[in-house]
Amino acid sequence: MITWLTAFLDSPADVWDVSRRFWTGVTGYGLSAARGEHGDFQTLIPPGGDGFLRVQRLHDGGPRVHLDLHVADVRAAAEAAVALGAREVAASGHVVMSSPGGLPFCFVREGERRRPAPARWTTPDGRDHASLVDQVALDVPAAAWDAEVAFWVALTGWEMTSSAPGSEFAPLRRPADQPLRLLPHRLGEPTGPVRAHLDLASTDRAAETDRHVALGAGVEQVRDAWTVLVAPDARRYCITDRDPVSGVRPQA
């Protein structure tokens, strides 16, 4: 059983400082002391609850998001994932895996349990709103869609919620104590590796977007229920109209 889900923001060295500064500004969280032989790992620490976002400095490759799945028995979880179609990449105190479609993830020991509350913000004109990074969208090319969705449903044990026929989304129902939802998203491209991006839920998308732009993000696209932005570290992510506590749109 997955007891906690962590998202890692992996950044190349040339945008490492920019990335950490931006994401602490977005979340309002602090940073832990650096960990690892070269100080490449840190946790974003919320003012209440347990950490579920971490940053890693990469020494090759571009910015990406990978998942850490916290479990009681790392080795048993890895073997079960392999049986479901994953590939084991490396092992030490944790196990590095790759999903059937190529998304990197790790099994790590359990510990965290308390989901943080949304952060609250006040606009310059005095309006209050709340936001929270609460979702990892799994961006899946069409050829990998069926296998990848089936894998994550089986691995997590999370129920896939209903969506409109032919929808590009297959949301998994987040257990109440988990900090992050998983949202498989079918891409228009036919092939390629599965990757991931972060989504924020916000009670005022326009105000939240303005806040991010002031922190250095750029708006790429505005849709009916979400806005696509590009962070200063070149990472794409979205701000959505979903409720930061429940994770669903108010009218749903």
Side-chain angles (χ1 to χ4, degrees), residues 24-243:
T24 54
V26 162
T27 59
Y29 296 173
L31 274 175
S32 72
R35 304 185 301 277
E37 182 180 357
H38 304 291
D40 291 336
F41 303 92
Q42 289 179 278
T43 300
L44 277 68
I45 304 175
D50 291 326
F52 63 98
L53 298 172
R54 311 202 200 288
V55 291
Q56 176 180 197
R57 176 169 48 198
L58 299 177
H59 297 279
D60 59 78
R64 68 180 186 186
V65 173
H66 83 261
L67 295 171
D68 272 9
L69 281 60
H70 299 234
V71 295
D73 188 329
V74 169
R75 173 45 52 193
E79 291 173 359
V82 168
L84 292 171
R87 180 172 63 91
E88 183 172 329
V89 177
S92 54
H94 62 283
V95 182
V96 181
M97 310 289 296
S98 178
S99 77
L103 181 73
F105 69 98
C106 300
F107 286 113
V108 301
R109 294 187 183 93
E110 63 183 1
E112 293 87 343
R113 295 280 182 174
R114 298 173 302 143
R115 184 174 188 254
R120 302 206 66 86
W121 312 96
T122 302
T123 64
D125 62 358
R127 290 181 295 133
D128 291 332
H129 73 281
S131 67
L132 181 69
V133 176
D134 77 326
Q135 183 166 267
V136 177
L138 309 178
D139 298 319
V140 185
W145 176 252
D146 290 339
E148 194 72 10
V149 172
F151 172 76
W152 287 103
V153 169
L155 184 68
T156 61
W158 297 1
E159 177 189 5
M160 186 170 65
T161 62
S162 59
S163 57
S167 172
E168 63 190 283
F169 299 109
L172 306 189
R173 191 181 303 280
R174 172 184 63 82
D177 56 349
Q178 287 285 349
L180 293 167
R181 294 170 22 127
L182 290 178
L183 177 67
H185 170 216
R186 180 167 46 202
L187 301 175
E189 59 196 62
T191 60
V194 177
R195 57 263 195 196
H197 71 264
L198 296 183
D199 288 343
L200 289 91
S202 177
T203 57
D204 188 332
R205 179 163 43 120
E208 183 71 2
T209 298
D210 289 345
R211 192 177 69 83
H212 288 225
V213 169
L215 291 169
V219 174
E220 183 173 88
Q221 189 179 29
V222 179
R223 302 285 294 270
D224 288 343
W226 69 89
T227 298
V228 182
L229 297 98
V230 181
D233 59 10
R235 194 187 313 274
R236 283 178 173 79
Y237 68 101
C238 298
I239 300 173
T240 77
D241 290 331
R242 293 176 300 101
D243 179 79

